[in-house]
Amino acid sequence: MNGTLTEEEFKEQCKALVSLSDKINDGWELRQDRDDIFIVKNVKLPVVFREENVNTKPKSKTISSENGAESDDDFSEDQITLEDSDPDSFTPSSHLITFEYHVVYSNSYTVPVLYFNAWHSTGKLLTVEEIWKFAPPCSEPFSYITQIDHPLLARPFYELHPCRTEQLMGQIEGAGGDTYLVSWLSSVGRDVGLSVDIRYALSDVS
């Protein structure tokens, strides 16, 4: 199965995804930069900073759940845990993080690429080390999550590197054709807190 997408297919699927997003109030927006089209979504996610036993866990610099300031506290390496994506699930132990996701087409790899930024409530950007902690424990996020200039906006964003996308999408049954973009987002978005509504997979949403 071909794991790539043409630019025209990408544009059409972006428009279709945003059209459905409008129907289900999911927040995706279509943006245009000259001839380039990309899609954007902003999400607020509650994040828990779990404190571990000080006798068994090394100290590490982290972010206070109260004011977003850096402090030397005892937290585990996987201290950051994403809660339910609904901001209403915010609890006193949660720290609300704002994520901005961009999906842009790569002409070099002929696949979509996910870019994102994330901010504390203070407006401070999350560090790359904090971003890495969102990835699944079995993965090596430093090998595919990097900070790079956005290809259209020329501002620093985090990027999920597209070098493995073609192979990944070639292995997913039924991921071709009109379902490519949704299948891809479902596969890669969860690594950085982006969930995909199941209604995108339904053909009878009206």
Side-chain angles (χ1 to χ4, degrees), residues 94-118:
S94 301
H95 188 58
L96 203 60
I97 302 296
T98 299
F99 285 82
E100 180 179 336
Y101 301 101
H102 290 208
V103 176
V104 181
Y105 186 75
S106 169
N107 285 294
S108 300
Y109 288 90
T110 61
V111 295
V113 184
L114 182 61
Y115 296 87
F116 67 97
N117 266 328

Side-chain angles (χ1 to χ4, degrees), residues 43 45 82-83 85 99 101 134-135 188-195:
V43 180
L45 296 177
L82 293 174
E83 290 193 321
S85 60
F99 285 82
Y101 301 101
F134 294 142
V188 304
R190 57 193 175 189
D191 284 1
V192 289
L194 176 61
S195 60

Side-chain angles (χ1 to χ4, degrees), residues 14-26:
C14 281
K15 293 174 183 177
L17 186 146
V18 170
S19 177
L20 182 51
S21 172
D22 290 342
K23 293 180 181 179
I24 65 177
N25 196 30
D26 194 41

Side-chain angles (χ1 to χ4, degrees), residues 68-88:
E70 288 188 352
S71 61
D72 287 322
D73 289 313
D74 295 285
F75 288 93
S76 68
E77 285 300 314
D78 59 345
Q79 66 198 32
I80 300 177
T81 303
L82 293 174
E83 290 193 321
D84 192 289
S85 60
D86 184 355
D88 292 338

Side-chain angles (χ1 to χ4, degrees), residues 32-148:
Q32 187 161 357
D33 182 78
R34 297 176 182 158
D35 294 331
D36 295 306
I37 282 178
F38 61 106
I39 56 175
V40 176
K41 182 177 183 179
N42 289 280
V43 180
K44 292 184 183 295
L45 296 177
V47 175
V48 174
F49 294 78
R50 288 197 308 272
E51 187 168 5
E52 299 291 341
N53 190 318
V54 297
N55 295 321
T56 59
K57 297 295 180 182
K59 280 192 174 184
S60 60
K61 182 167 286 189
T62 185
I63 304 298
S64 166
S65 62
E66 295 181 357
N67 56 23
E70 288 188 352
S71 61
D72 287 322
D73 289 313
D74 295 285
F75 288 93
S76 68
E77 285 300 314
D78 59 345
Q79 66 198 32
I80 300 177
T81 303
L82 293 174
E83 290 193 321
D84 192 289
S85 60
D86 184 355
D88 292 338
S89 66
F90 185 84
T91 67
S93 63
S94 301
H95 188 58
L96 203 60
I97 302 296
T98 299
F99 285 82
E100 180 179 336
Y101 301 101
H102 290 208
V103 176
V104 181
Y105 186 75
S106 169
N107 285 294
S108 300
Y109 288 90
T110 61
V111 295
V113 184
L114 182 61
Y115 296 87
F116 67 97
N117 266 328
W119 296 268
H120 294 281
S121 57
T122 60
K124 180 181 177 181
L125 282 170
L126 269 67
T127 66
V128 67
E129 289 80 10
E130 291 172 312
I131 294 295
W132 287 345
K133 294 186 176 78
F134 294 142
C138 61
S139 67
E140 296 181 347
F142 54 82
S143 68
Y144 65 93
I145 299 178
T146 56
Q147 193 171 41
I148 190 172

